[in-house]
Amino acid sequence: MRMRRLWMVMVAAVLGALMAPAPAHAAVPSYLSLEATYSSVANGWSTVERYLDTTPGFTQESYPPDGRGDQDGQRLTYFDNVKRPFSGRFLLYHAPGWNSNPKATPVLLVHGANDNPDRAWADPGESGGFGCGALSCPSTGMVQYLSHAGYRVFAIGFAHKEGDNLMQAQEVGDAVAIIKAKLGVSSVDLVGWSKGEMSARMYVSSVKPSWGRAYAGDVRKLITLGGPNAGYDYPFAHGWAHDLSIWPECGGSVNSPAPHTYMTCYGVYAHHPEFSFVPSGGYDCYPGQRQMLARFDGTYGIDQTQQDWYTTYYGGQGFYTSGPGIQAAINAGSLISRIQQAGVPASVQTYLLAGGSPTVVGIYNENRGPSDGVVFQSSALSRTGIGTVAGTALVAGANHLELGWYPAVESQVASWLG
């Protein structure tokens, strides 16, 4: 009798296991609202979705009043024709094969400053000559390479091109959660380029605003491309040449912060607080850049060929310019030390790639030490605070703006993704 009862229990257990429904996929978190889906998409993407994170804490960030930081191109359509979107909104781009390619772990691409998923990953030549850092720009990039190689590829697009990395890191986590729910997977691989490395790394390190959510343990690999893992000080070290491309009185129009708040151009002493690294005059248009700052004057010195080099770096009134200096900007909100102290969990395999060519077409290049023209190699390859460095690479032929499409970078990323 006992044997029969035991046999019946075992049969019931087996039948129950066979008849039990498969575990349900995780749902998209309730604080995320899908606002729109676009299927007529440029640059070879399959679909673009716009989401709103309804978590209290997201803000309407400042934009330069002359429009240089506004959304443009097809992105403007995706943001419902709002040129200066609320920072709780973001775009999720889907590459062809996002739901059918064979690679098990999907990939989320995170672009850098003053950029977008189209130019960064799909059409490096979108902004015209020199936009990709070279004399001529290809029409395809990392997304096509990885998609054709069998990866399920996504990319995130942010509302603010130079926005707060604390908020953008939360949205990286949002995108990961959405991808997990769509595909029924438990983890995603992250590829962060330049400023995009900041928000990607901050997500897995739980560097968050007071109202934010901690890392959910859902990233398998983190790959950084020219990321300022130890920070950067390029704008303060080369301030005069850098500002000529920004100051409108000098003919500049680049959407980038300046180390100065006052500058003389063609005899006109102009004041532009909206371009400052440090919040000034009611403006704070470039918080994401301030968060990447660190000093390298003790390691590489300062470029003393630049006009007003001393006051540009250390602050004060120079002959043609006036500004707060790098330390004031760091004190106003750099996150480099905080990120390094928080640490990347050892469970996240981290890969560091640096460009080795210091010649970027169209800009004044970093010349004080080995760099990709913008970020020092020592910063891009810095291991400080990273639990598991699974690989490093120096791609000698690539400069900072080529890291999203340079063939040797693409193949290295694919090799690391496995």
Side-chain angles (χ1 to χ4, degrees), residues 343-389:
V344 176
S347 59
V348 179
Q349 298 177 55
T350 304
Y351 301 81
L352 311 172
L353 185 145
S357 172
T359 305
V360 183
V361 175
I363 71 168
Y364 189 90
N365 291 282
E366 179 58 75
N367 57 15
R368 295 172 293 153
S371 78
D372 61 9
V374 178
V375 176
F376 288 119
Q377 293 172 17
S378 61
S379 179
L381 299 176
S382 174
R383 297 167 174 252
T384 303
I386 300 175
T388 302
V389 177

Side-chain angles (χ1 to χ4, degrees), residues 45 109-112 115-125 131-134 137-147 153 155 191-194 223-227 353-355 372 395 397-414:
W45 297 99
L109 306 175
V110 188
H111 67 79
D115 215 342
N116 59 73
D118 292 301
R119 198 225 63 82
W121 306 115
D123 182 8
C132 67
C137 304
S139 59
T140 61
M142 185 74 71
V143 64
Q144 289 90 349
Y145 184 92
L146 294 179
S147 181
V153 183
V191 179
W193 178 8
S194 191
I223 297 175
T224 72
L225 309 178
L353 185 145
D372 61 9
V395 179
N399 65 43
H400 191 74
L401 295 184
E402 295 173 328
L403 295 176
W405 61 267
Y406 199 79
V409 175
E410 293 173 332
S411 61
Q412 182 63 75
V413 169

Side-chain angles (χ1 to χ4, degrees), residues 89-162:
R89 289 187 165 87
F90 65 94
L91 306 176
L92 186 63
Y93 284 63
H94 304 54
W98 67 268
N99 58 351
S100 59
N101 278 356
K103 298 289 186 179
T105 305
V107 181
L108 177 64
L109 306 175
V110 188
H111 67 79
N114 194 31
D115 215 342
N116 59 73
D118 292 301
R119 198 225 63 82
W121 306 115
D123 182 8
E126 184 195 65
S127 57
F130 312 143
C132 67
L135 288 172
S136 62
C137 304
S139 59
T140 61
M142 185 74 71
V143 64
Q144 289 90 349
Y145 184 92
L146 294 179
S147 181
H148 292 162
Y151 295 92
R152 297 184 284 178
V153 183
F154 299 81
I156 189 170
F158 300 111
H160 196 293
K161 298 178 182 180
E162 300 275 13

Side-chain angles (χ1 to χ4, degrees), residues 10-366:
M10 292 175 63
V11 169
V14 171
L15 290 174
L18 291 173
M19 296 174 64
H25 294 165
V28 174
S30 60
Y31 50 80
L32 294 176
S33 173
L34 173 60
E35 295 187 317
T37 301
Y38 301 91
S39 57
S40 179
V41 183
N43 298 318
W45 297 99
S46 170
T47 307
V48 174
E49 297 172 335
R50 184 179 75 248
Y51 287 88
L52 171 65
D53 188 325
T54 62
T55 307
F58 285 98
T59 65
Q60 177 67 46
E61 294 185 86
S62 298
Y63 288 76
D66 65 1
R68 66 180 65 193
D70 292 1
Q71 289 295 333
D72 55 8
Q74 201 169 25
R75 276 84 52 190
L76 183 58
T77 302
Y78 304 152
F79 280 111
D80 201 23
N81 293 313
V82 176
K83 293 182 178 180
R84 301 175 183 180
F86 176 67
S87 287
R89 289 187 165 87
F90 65 94
L91 306 176
L92 186 63
Y93 284 63
H94 304 54
W98 67 268
N99 58 351
S100 59
N101 278 356
K103 298 289 186 179
T105 305
V107 181
L108 177 64
L109 306 175
V110 188
H111 67 79
N114 194 31
D115 215 342
N116 59 73
D118 292 301
R119 198 225 63 82
W121 306 115
D123 182 8
E126 184 195 65
S127 57
F130 312 143
C132 67
L135 288 172
S136 62
C137 304
S139 59
T140 61
M142 185 74 71
V143 64
Q144 289 90 349
Y145 184 92
L146 294 179
S147 181
H148 292 162
Y151 295 92
R152 297 184 284 178
V153 183
F154 299 81
I156 189 170
F158 300 111
H160 196 293
K161 298 178 182 180
E162 300 275 13
D164 180 2
N165 290 302
L166 290 164
M167 289 193 286
Q168 292 184 356
Q170 290 292 293
E171 292 172 336
V172 169
D174 291 346
V176 170
I178 294 166
I179 294 167
K180 287 163 51 184
K182 283 177 176 285
L183 298 179
V185 297
S186 60
S187 62
V188 173
D189 291 338
L190 297 179
V191 179
W193 178 8
S194 191
K195 180 179 179 292
E197 172 270 331
M198 292 280 288
S199 54
R201 178 170 173 174
M202 287 165 62
Y203 170 60
V204 301
S205 300
S206 293
V207 176
K208 59 187 182 63
S210 59
W211 48 266
R213 294 171 292 274
Y215 172 51
D218 47 14
V219 171
R220 184 184 69 137
K221 295 182 178 183
L222 170 65
I223 297 175
T224 72
L225 309 178
N229 285 293
Y232 92 133
D233 67 350
Y234 169 91
F236 286 88
H238 308 288
W240 177 259
H242 180 65
D243 277 10
L244 292 175
S245 66
I246 298 170
W247 230 250
E249 288 79 6
C250 295
S253 60
V254 174
N255 181 38
S256 183
H260 305 117
T261 51
Y262 292 86
M263 183 172 179
T264 301
C265 292
Y266 299 107
V268 176
Y269 192 55
H271 181 215
H272 282 289
E274 69 271 26
F275 300 145
S276 178
F277 273 90
V278 178
S280 178
Y283 293 103
D284 187 12
C285 302
Y286 300 95
Q289 290 277 356
R290 177 173 64 251
Q291 292 164 343
M292 296 190 288
L293 291 174
R295 289 176 61 165
F296 287 89
D297 52 320
T299 305
Y300 298 113
I302 308 172
D303 181 3
Q304 297 187 23
T305 67
Q306 295 287 302
Q307 178 70 46
D308 292 352
W309 64 269
Y310 187 91
T311 52
T312 297
Y313 203 91
Y314 296 109
Q317 177 68 57
F319 190 76
Y320 287 105
T321 60
S322 178
I326 191 171
Q327 192 58 53
I330 289 172
N331 294 344
S334 172
L335 294 177
I336 296 300
S337 293
R338 180 178 169 187
I339 292 169
Q340 291 179 330
Q341 290 168 8
V344 176
S347 59
V348 179
Q349 298 177 55
T350 304
Y351 301 81
L352 311 172
L353 185 145
S357 172
T359 305
V360 183
V361 175
I363 71 168
Y364 189 90
N365 291 282
E366 179 58 75

